[in-house]
Amino acid sequence: MPQDARRPRTGLLVPGILLITASVGLGIALEADTHLLELDARWARGIVATRGPVGDAIALAFDRVGGGVIGIVVVPLLIAAVLLARRHYRTLIVYLAASLASGLAVQVMKHLFARERPEHMIVISDFGSFPSGHTANAATAAALLVLFLPRAWAGVAAVAYVLLMAVCRTYVGAHWLTDTIGGVLVGAGVALLVVALADRLAPRPRENPGGERIAPPRNTP
C-alpha cells in the first residue's frame, strides 16, 4: 500500500469521530428500538434459510480469515511483512495502530452493551454480539487500503470484502445484521481517526514538482 505523500489527511479526524459516535449511538438505540430488533429478526430468519454446502464453505472461510489465529495473527503478519519488504514503514505503523485500536474499541463496546448473540450459530464465538469484530476488522483494513491505495479497483475490492464479511457473519449466526453495521462504522471510524492523528502528530514529507521530498513546514513563533 504505497503512501500518498502529497495530501495531508488531518481532515479525516471529524468523520472518524462521527462514525465511531454513530456506532455507539446504534448500540444505544438497539436497547430501546423494537423496529431495529424486528429488522434483525427478519434478516436472521431469511439468511439462515439460505444455508447450504456452498454457503457454509464460504462463510466458514470468512470466519477463519476475519478472526481467530488466522485473522488476528497470520493475516496481520503477512501484511506487515509485505510493508516491511517494500519499506513502507509509516504505513506499517499506522496499520498496526489502527488494527489494535479497532480491536480495543470493539471489545469495549461488546462489554458496554453485552448484547446476546443470535441462536443457531454454526461457529464458536466469544462474549458480546454488538459490534461485530470480524466486520470491524474488515472495515478497518478496507478503509486503510482505500486511503493508502486510492485506485478504483482497490475501492471495489474493499467494499466487496466488507459486504461479504458482514453477510457471512449473519449467515453463520454469530451476529445480527445491526451488529455488522455497527462493526463497519466503528472499524472505518477508527481507521480514519488513526490516519488523521498520525498526520497531525507526525506530518509526512511533501514533494516538490520535481519529485524531491521536502520537510513539512515548522511552526514558528
Side-chain angles (χ1 to χ4, degrees):
M1 292 185 291
Q3 298 185 48
D4 178 8
R6 294 169 295 179
R7 295 184 302 169
R9 293 182 290 247
T10 54
L12 298 176
L13 185 65
V14 172
I17 293 174
L18 290 176
L19 287 175
I20 297 171
T21 302
S23 183
V24 174
L26 177 59
I28 295 173
L30 285 169
E31 297 185 351
D33 194 326
T34 56
H35 295 292
L36 290 174
L37 299 180
E38 291 173 1
L39 172 64
D40 278 338
R42 287 198 301 270
W43 176 271
R45 289 193 297 269
I47 197 71
V48 168
T50 67
R51 285 178 178 172
V54 175
D56 289 358
I58 295 173
L60 290 174
F62 271 82
D63 176 67
R64 296 186 179 93
V65 171
V69 176
I70 295 178
I72 297 176
V73 179
V74 177
V75 172
L77 286 179
L78 288 175
I79 295 175
V82 171
L83 292 174
L84 280 174
R86 297 178 65 85
R87 297 183 180 181
H88 294 311
Y89 304 121
R90 182 190 179 92
T91 306
L92 172 60
I93 293 173
V94 171
Y95 166 71
L96 294 177
S99 298
L100 290 173
S102 178
L104 178 60
V106 166
Q107 289 305 314
V108 169
M109 292 174 66
K110 281 179 178 289
H111 285 80
L112 175 64
F113 295 109
R115 190 183 193 190
E116 294 185 3
R117 292 183 182 273
E119 298 178 354
H120 309 302
M121 283 193 298
I122 59 175
V123 295
I124 298 175
S125 298
D126 59 4
F127 170 80
S129 186
F130 182 90
S132 166
H134 280 64
T135 311
N137 290 340
T140 299
L144 293 175
L145 176 64
V146 172
L147 289 173
F148 287 113
L149 189 60
R151 303 287 187 272
W153 67 265
V156 172
V159 172
Y161 176 60
V162 173
L163 289 177
L164 282 171
M165 181 63 75
V167 171
C168 286
R169 297 313 289 161
T170 60
Y171 179 95
V172 298
H175 288 285
W176 304 101
L177 176 62
T178 50
D179 296 339
T180 65
I181 296 173
V184 171
L185 292 173
V186 70
V190 167
L192 298 185
L193 186 62
V194 170
V195 170
L197 290 175
D199 278 11
R200 181 178 292 270
L201 297 174
R204 293 164 298 161
R206 297 175 299 166
E207 293 182 357
N208 64 20
E212 180 183 353
R213 287 195 169 194
I214 58 176
R218 296 178 178 272
N219 293 328
T220 56

